[in-house]
Amino acid sequence: MENGKIVIKLDKYLKENNISRSSLSKNGRLRYDTILSYCRNEVTRLDTDTLVRLCSTLNCKLNDIVEYVQEK
């Protein structure tokens, strides 16, 4: 039985809101490589501190940048 997966929608959110990765890195005090990993959906373990910083900096809710997709 498949459980589904977590999809990180950060890159889509940034594009929709015309926010650059570099400005997010600077304003959120996060490493650019970390943001790049989240944008490419390459993160295998979500870090709660990083998610808090992202949501705080972007003034968004967690479900704006992370989504659970149920497998059929």
Side-chain angles (χ1 to χ4, degrees):
M1 182 172 137
E2 293 290 327
N3 293 321
K5 62 182 178 178
I6 298 294
V7 176
I8 302 168
K9 307 181 297 182
L10 180 59
D11 201 43
K12 180 180 176 184
Y13 184 88
L14 294 177
K15 288 176 183 174
E16 288 174 349
N17 292 280
N18 200 27
I19 301 168
S20 71
R21 294 173 184 167
S22 58
S23 68
L24 176 58
S25 174
K26 181 181 176 185
N27 295 331
R29 296 178 315 281
L30 292 161
R31 291 183 51 224
Y32 185 85
D33 290 346
T34 300
I35 292 172
L36 192 58
S37 294
Y38 275 77
C39 285
R40 291 180 175 169
N41 208 14
E42 295 175 342
V43 178
T44 56
R45 293 184 181 255
L46 298 174
D47 180 67
T48 55
D49 183 57
T50 300
L51 293 172
V52 167
R53 285 182 185 215
L54 289 171
C55 289
S56 176
T57 304
L58 296 170
N59 193 28
C60 70
K61 295 183 180 178
L62 184 58
N63 63 340
D64 291 331
I65 59 173
V66 177
E67 177 182 11
Y68 168 72
V69 177
Q70 190 171 13
E71 295 289 324
K72 297 181 179 184

